[in-house]
Amino acid sequence: MQDNQALIVVDVQKDFLETGALPVKEGSQVVPVINRIIPKFKNVVFTQDWHPQGHISFASSHPGIAPYSTIDVSYGKQVLWPEHCVQNTSGAEFAEGLNTENGELYPGRKEAKRKLGKCRFEKMAAKKKLLLIKQTCIWENEETDSNLSETAHR
């Protein structure tokens, strides 16, 4: 890959794996796929979902309202999730075996966006994002808006 490209690995954390608070079926199978792809990129960024205790998006912060319900908040509708990826808990940790040694780590996607706007990734022509969604890793090329998928089963 070229110097102006980055792999962005988004929220591959314990709470999103099979036994986590918001499980993705066979989610841990994405880890070896990511580890196989990482060496192809000079620039690798890892983000973490990183909620404070009592976050507004947690159903437990709204007594009497069930998880997956929605509420109205100042910015629109908010889905109420089970507690997940709470700062400094085991569920917020990266998935076991994920090779994060040669990447930059950013807890919280908002923090990543803020910092990435000020660092060398700001002028990158193409960025790749690897997302854990259901059972699929999705390659999204932001420049061309094309998608290539590789299933986590491989």
Side-chain angles (χ1 to χ4, degrees):
M1 290 287 150
Q2 299 174 7
D3 286 350
N4 68 343
Q5 294 182 321
L7 174 66
I8 303 173
V9 181
V10 179
D11 302 347
V12 181
Q13 295 165 259
K14 290 180 180 179
D15 269 349
F16 297 130
L17 302 182
E18 296 89 343
T19 60
L22 283 174
V24 173
K25 184 179 179 184
E26 300 177 348
S28 61
Q29 292 184 22
V30 75
V31 173
V33 174
I34 295 168
N35 288 343
R36 194 169 59 242
I37 295 168
I38 287 172
K40 297 178 182 184
F41 290 85
K42 181 178 178 182
N43 303 295
V44 180
V45 174
F46 296 89
T47 69
Q48 287 176 285
D49 204 14
W50 194 248
H51 298 291
Q53 290 277 345
H55 191 265
I56 190 172
S57 70
F58 293 159
S60 60
S61 296
H62 305 275
I65 302 179
Y68 308 106
S69 299
T70 59
I71 60 168
D72 291 313
V73 292
S74 62
Y75 49 82
K77 295 277 184 194
Q78 172 65 57
V79 174
L80 297 179
W81 304 105
E83 286 189 23
H84 65 282
C85 299
V86 176
Q87 295 172 6
N88 303 310
T89 66
S90 63
E93 294 173 2
F94 287 112
E96 202 69 39
L98 182 63
N99 181 2
T100 60
E101 292 177 15
N102 295 317
E104 296 191 37
L105 311 176
Y106 293 99
R109 281 168 280 183
K110 287 181 182 177
E111 180 69 7
K113 286 178 185 177
R114 186 180 71 76
K115 287 186 177 180
L116 289 175
K118 295 181 180 178
C119 73
R120 69 178 180 269
F121 297 105
E122 183 176 15
K123 296 182 180 178
M124 291 197 167
K127 296 177 187 166
K128 303 278 184 195
K129 289 189 258 185
L130 203 54
L131 307 170
L132 180 58
I133 300 174
K134 295 187 181 175
Q135 297 178 31
T136 306
C137 300
I138 299 175
W139 286 72
E140 179 183 333
N141 184 321
E142 293 179 342
E143 187 175 28
T144 63
D145 209 23
S146 63
N147 292 314
L148 301 171
S149 296
E150 179 176 351
T151 65
H153 296 290
R154 292 185 188 166

